[in-house]
Amino acid sequence: MYGSLSESQKIILDYNDGTVVVKACPGSGKTYSLAARISRLLKESQAGKKGLCVISFTNIACMEIEDRLANNFSTIVPLKHPHFFGTIDSFINTFIFLPFGHLIMGCDSRPELVGEPHAPWSVKRSDWDYDQYFDKTTFDADDMLIPIAPYQAFGFRWNYYNKDGKTVNGNILRIMRSKNTLFKKGYANQSDANYLSLKVLQKYPLIAQNIAQKFSHFMIDECQDTNDVHMKIIDILNEQGGSNIMLVGDRDQSIFEWNDAKPELFDQKYNLWDKILLNQNRRSSQLICNFIKNLSSFEEINAVNEKVKDSAIEPSIYGYITPKNATAKDKTIITLEQSVENFKEILNNFLDECRKNKIPIDKENTAVLYRGNSSSKYLGLRSDLNDFETIPWTTNHHHVKNIIKGRHMYENGSFNKGYKLMEKGYFEALMRPSNPQFYCNTQFVADRIYTNGIKQHRKEVFSFIECLPATKYKTLNEWVEQANKVLREAAFALEFRIESQFGNIAIDDYFGQDLNSEKLHPFYFGTVHSVKGKTFQAVLLLLGKKAVRKNYATIINSDPAVLNANDLEELRIVYVALSRPEILLQMAVPDSDLALWTGKMN
Ligand SMILES: Nc1ncnc2c1ncn2[C@@H]1O[C@H](COP(=O)(O)OP(=O)(O)OP(=O)(O)O)[C@@H](O)[C@H]1O
């Protein structure tokens, strides 16, 4: 069963006890080798003894490991008690935050997770209500407040210190105060849960000892995405008895926005702990490996997949014209339509190449990837709307978002999630006129069900839901107007409000379509983040002029030492995209950047 493993992969398979870091290039079989080791340890472990703790950063990455375990190593999945298998967030929530978070937060009962991906936070009583930033901020391991949303989400410039460089800025202080008050009420967002869990382990080493002793081995995949808080939690578990820890990752693929991930933490562990290096790429041709090496920290990447390694298809970069207004100097105008038309030629050429090389144009084999929401418009989509730039949600009426989103989800098949959102929005709409502080938490709903009985409760919520107009083909403004009319007629004492100057947006556009729907494109179409860990035969990467914050030209031309963490991450995002294909790789960039990219990649 393990016969196909390479020499270095076998070292991972046979690694027994101690702390070790596996540093691996893309497609080197990190996930594959990790699955091999898990299957071996499972076979050798004795029933009723300690379990294995397997952690990754996303649900998709967990599914990848499970897939390999089941398909390549005949292991029964999902892994059950005494093992843990899941995301780092669920590990922290299960073993630390939910049972022990209250010890640090000072709340009376089990804490409640709010904000994405849990219950949406919908509190904003005025522009200067600092509670509105609860889901957009957290604390780092040194107790400094940090943003976990783009700058547009804040109604002020994020400067931690005043001009004197010593005293903390008033806005920051007020958010910290608001957060501490809300912690006392039992609320935390997921990043807060991680931070508070670190505090729990620091204050109560016995809790850490207890968790460390539950497991014989800890394995952490995608470890390049760890931030300070995660790494300190891993360190404490290690100090308190978790002595067998394997960290697996590729620092060049660290792309985890707003998680404050620091690939340097992975590097530090690589220097300190035992090391295993995987630098053979089992996915792509040698020509693709040579191309991506220009963005990697590896000195060489060797293609070893017999089927594709000698492919002669050269990776290529094409320029497309970008929209341009007339200026005094240059009267030329290029419309968005002309630009899109020009990109279409590149896309068609890419699809022709796929056909010529017998690559099926379907969701599994061919991908068109993009970075930055604005690029998606090149494929005929309007998902270039930035939630934080065009916020139609108004003070004291943030629940309207939940209600419309819930109704939209309900119509599109997500009944349970849609119901929950509308239920929450309904009670907030009902209670806030008399109690602007009100946030509908799970306790409130549970109490309501207890008092009124589930039947009466459901009847009330459904009578509200059934009144609401359908969202299809309506703009936010049209929907709100219609909803207010029917609610008035049905004698609900409710009124929805939004900022109508931003409300002329189709609801389907605002709450996203299935970008990857079969109807839209036959090939896979999505962001680079959505394909982490995946393999395709062919990839076309579409880049705009600007990465999210800075122009690519500025990033490429700057000394990495002067770039901030977010800018450095942009090049890693490009790297992740370029390392997905087996044989065909193309990039489409603005023609003004063509020379720049060609120079960088050759
Ligand atoms: N020893 C092996 N024998 C057969 N196939 C292998 C072996 N090692 C890896 N592979 C295959 O090579 C491909 C890449 O492996 P895998 O996805 O595990 O790499 P990875 O390092 O996790 O990739 P990335 O980080 O770039 O997403 C997969 O299709 C996997 O099944």
Side-chain angles (χ1 to χ4, degrees):
M1 182 167 19
Y2 304 123
S4 78
L5 295 179
S6 70
E7 283 313 305
S8 8
Q9 290 182 329
K10 280 207 180 103
I11 304 177
I12 299 177
L13 169 75
D14 295 329
Y15 197 89
N16 270 327
D17 296 344
T19 49
V20 61
V21 179
V22 178
K23 177 175 159 169
C25 74
S28 56
K30 291 189 274 302
T31 316
Y32 193 89
S33 321
L34 191 62
R37 180 175 191 238
I38 297 167
S39 75
R40 176 181 76 80
L41 290 170
L42 282 173
K43 264 189 248 136
E44 290 169 8
S45 71
Q46 293 153 22
K49 286 273 160 71
K50 292 179 177 185
L52 301 180
C53 179
V54 184
I55 293 176
S56 195
F57 273 75
T58 60
N59 282 316
I60 296 178
C62 288
M63 273 151 57
E64 290 270 324
I65 306 178
E66 244 179 20
D67 243 34
R68 302 280 152 84
L69 276 171
N71 297 330
N72 300 98
F73 303 104
S74 325
T75 306
I76 297 166
V77 291
L79 300 189
K80 296 219 178 87
H81 184 80
H83 311 293
F84 173 85
F85 185 90
T87 61
I88 185 125
D89 289 343
S90 74
F91 173 77
I92 289 174
N93 293 342
T94 309
F95 293 106
I96 318 171
F97 179 66
L98 292 173
F100 302 114
H102 65 280
L103 297 175
I104 296 289
M105 296 163 78
C107 50
D108 302 334
S109 55
R110 221 170 137 88
E112 171 154 356
L113 282 157
V114 298
E116 292 301 335
H118 308 284
W121 186 245
S122 52
V123 178
K124 184 181 176 188
R125 291 171 289 258
S126 73
D127 281 351
W128 296 107
D129 177 1
Y130 287 84
D131 288 358
Q132 69 178 296
Y133 300 120
F134 189 68
D135 60 335
K136 301 179 180 71
T137 52
T138 192
F139 294 94
D140 69 11
D142 301 318
D143 309 317
M144 302 253 300
L145 189 80
I146 52 168
I148 49 172
Y151 70 90
Q152 297 96 331
F154 296 90
F156 58 90
R157 248 180 104 91
W158 187 284
N159 286 326
Y160 199 89
Y161 292 109
N162 289 320
K163 281 202 184 102
D164 63 10
K166 278 188 244 147
T167 52
V168 177
N169 178 278
N171 289 313
I172 305 285
L173 280 177
R174 284 182 201 100
I175 299 180
M176 292 208 275
R177 232 172 271 146
S178 141
K179 283 195 79 88
N180 283 316
T181 310
L182 289 165
F183 285 165
K184 284 204 178 70
K185 290 189 181 167
Y187 297 124
N189 66 45
Q190 185 57 57
S191 303
D192 296 333
N194 298 347
Y195 162 77
L196 293 162
S197 296
L198 171 63
K199 299 279 136 187
V200 168
L201 298 190
Q202 284 171 335
K203 194 161 171 200
Y204 303 97
L206 272 180
I207 294 177
Q209 259 174 43
N210 189 282
I211 300 168
Q213 278 163 16
K214 282 186 202 302
F215 302 103
S216 64
H217 294 82
F218 289 84
M219 282 164 272
I220 301 155
D221 193 17
E222 308 260 3
C223 200
Q224 70 276 0
D225 292 331
T226 36
N227 59 26
D228 260 325
V229 167
H230 296 133
M231 201 54 107
K232 288 207 159 122
I233 290 179
I234 295 171
D235 282 338
I236 295 179
L237 291 175
N238 182 217
E239 286 154 21
Q240 298 299 334
S243 49
N244 301 322
I245 305 184
M246 176 177 271
L247 309 180
V248 182
D250 174 4
R251 60 105 64 230
D252 301 331
Q253 291 192 63
S254 170
I255 57 164
F256 213 92
E257 277 187 308
W258 305 117
N259 171 34
D260 204 28
K262 294 199 175 79
E264 308 81 72
L265 297 170
F266 180 75
D267 295 343
Q268 284 162 13
K269 283 283 178 290
Y270 185 72
N271 293 332
L272 276 172
W273 290 6
D274 259 10
K275 11 186 154 313
I276 304 174
L277 187 72
L278 293 184
N279 65 356
Q280 291 185 326
N281 181 312
R282 294 177 168 262
R283 177 181 292 132
S284 314
S285 69
Q286 188 62 54
L287 289 175
I288 293 178
C289 290
N290 297 347
F291 190 78
I292 62 174
K293 199 181 73 62
N294 294 299
L295 290 176
S296 127
S297 62
F298 279 78
E299 286 187 4
E300 53 182 323
I301 303 177
N302 300 315
V304 295
N305 182 341
E306 288 300 330
K307 273 199 245 147
V308 301
K309 76 177 184 23
D310 298 323
S311 160
I313 310 173
E314 296 267 1
S316 35
I317 312 179
Y318 296 95
Y320 65 93
I321 54 170
T322 45
K324 181 188 163 302
N325 294 328
T327 59
K329 263 201 206 140
D330 179 358
K331 301 268 180 283
T332 332
I333 296 174
I334 300 171
T335 62
L336 176 65
E337 287 71 30
Q338 286 170 311
S339 175
V340 168
E341 216 32 59
N342 193 226
F343 168 73
K344 288 261 154 70
E345 285 170 31
I346 298 176
L347 174 64
N348 286 333
N349 172 48
F350 168 72
L351 297 175
D352 281 346
E353 277 300 303
C354 290
R355 287 185 200 102
K356 223 163 57 195
N357 289 289
K358 308 221 164 14
I359 299 172
I361 298 174
D362 58 23
K363 306 275 177 201
E364 280 74 48
N365 292 289
T366 308
V368 178
L369 306 177
Y370 67 93
R371 166 64 180 150
N373 281 335
S374 63
S375 306
S376 63
K377 63 179 174 275
Y378 281 88
L379 280 118
L381 291 169
R382 283 257 0 245
S383 75
D384 53 326
L385 304 162
N386 186 331
D387 204 11
F388 294 112
E389 276 168 6
T390 52
I391 295 178
W393 319 114
T394 182
T395 304
N396 253 334
H397 284 259
H398 271 238
H399 48 266
V400 178
K401 177 180 181 185
N402 289 341
I403 295 172
I404 305 180
K405 187 174 176 186
R407 174 75 212 197
H408 184 257
M409 291 173 91
Y410 201 75
E411 281 165 43
N412 289 287
S414 296
F415 301 110
N416 285 344
K417 278 195 181 150
Y419 171 85
K420 284 240 148 60
L421 280 179
M422 286 187 282
E423 175 182 67
K424 181 167 156 37
Y426 166 65
F427 287 114
E428 288 178 354
L430 210 60
M431 308 292 284
R432 281 189 178 158
S434 59
N435 176 10
Q437 305 274 347
F438 182 77
Y439 174 80
C440 179
N441 57 19
T442 36
Q443 193 58 48
F444 175 83
V445 175
D447 289 349
R448 190 100 183 170
I449 293 173
Y450 183 77
T451 318
N452 297 345
I454 183 84
K455 235 166 131 187
Q456 180 54 33
H457 172 80
R458 284 278 158 86
K459 202 169 146 206
E460 180 183 356
V461 177
F462 271 112
S463 71
F464 167 73
I465 290 178
E466 275 156 16
C467 259
L468 298 175
T471 60
K472 209 164 178 53
Y473 305 127
K474 286 190 193 99
T475 64
L476 291 169
N477 281 342
E478 288 164 351
W479 189 91
V480 166
E481 193 183 322
Q482 210 174 326
N484 282 333
K485 188 162 169 275
V486 288
L487 288 171
R488 250 191 326 269
E489 283 164 8
F492 276 97
L494 302 173
E495 203 200 349
F496 298 155
R497 252 182 259 156
I498 60 169
E499 303 274 358
S500 56
Q501 74 269 32
F502 298 125
N504 248 340
I505 293 168
I507 293 175
D508 267 338
D509 278 343
Y510 195 90
F511 289 112
Q513 321 157 2
D514 177 6
L515 295 187
N516 210 13
S517 128
E518 201 73 48
K519 279 181 250 148
L520 219 49
H521 301 293
F523 45 81
Y524 181 92
F525 170 56
T527 60
V528 178
H529 286 81
S530 73
V531 295
K532 254 185 126 177
K534 287 208 169 122
T535 302
F536 298 93
Q537 289 198 50
V539 166
L540 169 66
L541 172 65
L542 162 64
L543 294 180
K545 201 163 180 53
K546 207 171 165 192
V548 167
R549 300 160 198 91
K550 276 203 183 98
N551 284 345
Y552 282 108
T554 317
I555 298 177
I556 290 176
N557 289 328
S558 305
D559 174 358
V562 302
L563 288 173
N564 67 31
N566 291 331
D567 299 329
L568 289 169
E569 187 181 351
E570 290 298 339
L571 291 182
R572 296 197 297 269
I573 292 170
V574 174
Y575 179 74
V576 169
L578 300 183
S579 58
R580 295 308 96 199
E582 290 176 349
I583 53 171
L584 180 62
L585 172 59
Q586 295 191 354
M587 288 173 77
V589 301
D591 59 356
S592 50
D593 283 351
L594 184 59
L596 178 87
W597 280 109
T598 312
K600 175 83 188 159
M601 302 305 296
N602 286 305

